[in-house]
């Protein structure tokens, strides 16, 4: 998949003053794999405008503050049309307060300054997991089935060198989990793995992945269904990155 095709598949939109500020603070950390837009609360967001925004998009991220009611109205309008088009819409809410108003998107994450870097690394892995450049990629339907559910959601991300054992990787990953305080259903989890081209020999990579998945399953509190992706990157060299989302 070339860059132009990737840009058509994923988009991130900052909505309202806080949402735009959040987007501006993270956009340099985003991989070059999604388009970026900004919407102020004073813009006329009609159906034609939203339709144009969503053309060619499969995966949509929205940054906003749910305490800004005008911004939330725009989020819901975009989320409604995204749902009609079967687009996976994910909210990045900078407010930690529980939303009293219903948010019309598939999944909302509460992300603060402390967890932002972790979450943005996870976003990059999530977007790339549906790319055909992945050695083992995910289907968008699989992502939807895992993310578009009721109940709480937790996530984690870590980067490791070659000298770290797989057991220590998983332990570190599971000890550094962020997410909602709602009760987890413990039904499904997604594991994103990005491996440097020099981390191990190519014919050993799938065995490394299998070991990591086995250890995660053994250390998880409850048995749940798992899906995973594997992306091999030259620039990651001798590192391995692991992202985890569970609900």
């Amino acid at each position: 998949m070339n860059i132009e095709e990737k840009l058509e598949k994923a988009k991130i939109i900052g909505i309202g003053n806080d949402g735009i500020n959040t987007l501006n603070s993270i956009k340099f950390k985003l991989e070059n794999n999604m388009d970026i837009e900004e919407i102020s609360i004073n813009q006329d967001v009609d159906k034609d405008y939203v339709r144009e925004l969503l053309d060619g998009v499969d995966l949509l991220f929205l940054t906003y503050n749910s305490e800004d009611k005008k911004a939330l109205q725009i989020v819901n309008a975009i989320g409604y049309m995204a749902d009609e088009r079967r687009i996976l819409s994910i909210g990045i809410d900078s407010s930690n307060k529980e939303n009293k108003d219903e948010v019309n998107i598939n999944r909302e994450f509460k992300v603060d300054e402390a967890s932002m870097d972790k979450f943005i690394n996870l976003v990059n892995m999530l977007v790339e997991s549906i790319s055909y450049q992945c050695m083992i990629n995910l289907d968008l339907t699989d992502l939807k089935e895992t993310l578009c559910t009721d109940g709480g959601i937790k996530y984690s991300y870590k980067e490791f060198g070659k000298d770290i054992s797989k057991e220590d990787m998983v332990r570190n990953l599971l000890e550094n989990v962020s997410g909602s305080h709602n009760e987890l259903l413990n039904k499904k989890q997604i594991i994103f793995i990005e491996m440097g081209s020099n981390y191990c020999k190519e014919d050993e990579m799938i065995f490394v992945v299998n070991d990591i998945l086995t250890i995660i399953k053994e250390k998880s509190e409850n048995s749940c269904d798992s899906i995973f992706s594997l992306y091999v990157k030259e620039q990651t060299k001798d590192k391995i990155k692991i992202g985890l989302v569970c609900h």
Side-chain angles (χ1 to χ4, degrees):
M1 179 181 292
N2 60 36
I3 293 299
E4 287 73 20
E5 289 173 326
K6 290 170 78 173
L7 288 175
E8 288 181 351
K9 284 193 169 291
K11 178 173 285 190
I12 185 166
I13 305 174
I15 301 172
N17 292 336
D18 289 341
I20 291 172
N21 288 338
T22 297
L23 179 58
N24 286 332
S25 70
I26 65 174
K27 62 184 180 183
F28 71 95
K29 299 176 184 177
L30 297 169
E31 298 287 348
N32 188 22
N33 53 21
M34 68 180 84
D35 201 2
I36 295 174
E37 299 279 353
E38 297 179 1
I39 300 177
S40 75
I41 58 175
N42 298 318
Q43 282 182 238
D44 183 15
V45 183
D46 59 18
K47 286 186 178 181
D48 289 336
Y49 176 73
V50 176
R51 189 176 295 114
E52 185 176 345
L53 274 180
L54 300 180
D55 277 349
V57 175
D58 289 327
L59 183 55
L60 177 68
F61 297 92
L62 306 171
T63 64
Y64 55 90
N65 184 326
S66 59
E67 295 177 65
D68 183 338
K69 299 308 178 185
K70 288 186 178 180
L72 198 58
Q73 287 176 359
I74 297 172
V75 169
N76 284 337
I78 294 174
Y80 179 80
M81 291 188 68
D83 192 52
E84 284 188 329
R85 292 175 169 227
R86 300 180 183 274
I87 296 170
L88 175 56
S89 56
I90 298 173
I92 305 172
D93 185 6
S94 59
S95 171
N96 285 318
K97 292 184 177 179
E98 184 179 350
N99 296 336
K100 293 182 179 179
D101 299 319
E102 184 177 350
V103 183
N104 190 30
I105 51 178
N106 296 134
R107 168 60 67 179
E108 181 182 67
F109 287 85
K110 301 282 190 178
V111 183
D112 56 22
E113 187 175 344
S115 60
M116 186 62 77
D117 278 349
K118 180 196 302 184
F119 186 74
I120 294 308
N121 278 300
L122 192 67
V123 165
N124 287 326
M125 299 186 86
L126 195 154
V127 172
E128 291 178 332
S129 73
I130 60 174
S131 165
Y132 291 113
Q133 291 183 337
C134 256
M135 180 179 288
I136 301 173
N137 66 340
L138 297 177
D139 186 89
L140 190 63
T141 302
D142 292 330
L143 287 181
K144 286 182 178 180
E145 288 179 352
T146 305
L147 294 173
C148 305
T149 56
D150 296 328
I153 195 159
K154 300 286 186 180
Y155 62 91
S156 186
Y157 164 88
K158 280 290 180 178
E159 177 180 319
F160 305 99
K162 295 175 68 172
D163 56 331
I164 307 298
S165 71
K166 300 181 190 71
E167 288 80 7
D168 285 342
M169 288 182 195
V170 173
R171 178 183 53 78
N172 201 307
L173 188 74
L174 297 178
E175 287 178 353
N176 290 275
V177 172
S178 302
S180 67
H181 300 293
N182 297 335
E183 184 177 355
L184 295 181
L185 300 177
N186 290 310
K187 287 188 175 181
K188 289 189 177 181
Q189 62 184 11
I190 314 172
I191 300 105
F192 307 98
I193 298 176
E194 179 185 307
M195 199 178 299
S197 55
N198 294 332
Y199 183 80
C200 65
K201 295 179 181 178
E202 187 172 344
D203 58 358
E204 297 174 351
M205 289 181 175
I206 194 65
F207 296 103
V208 171
V209 171
N210 184 66
D211 288 345
I212 292 171
L213 297 178
T214 299
I215 297 169
I216 289 176
K217 184 175 182 179
E218 290 173 350
K219 293 188 176 296
S220 297
E221 294 181 1
N222 299 85
S223 178
C224 58
D225 295 332
S226 300
I227 57 175
F228 72 94
S229 66
L230 171 61
Y231 201 124
V232 180
K233 278 190 175 180
E234 178 66 32
Q235 58 266 42
T236 309
K237 296 183 179 178
D238 58 353
K239 304 286 186 181
I240 185 169
K241 301 177 181 179
I242 308 174
L244 172 67
V245 177
C246 54
H247 78 81

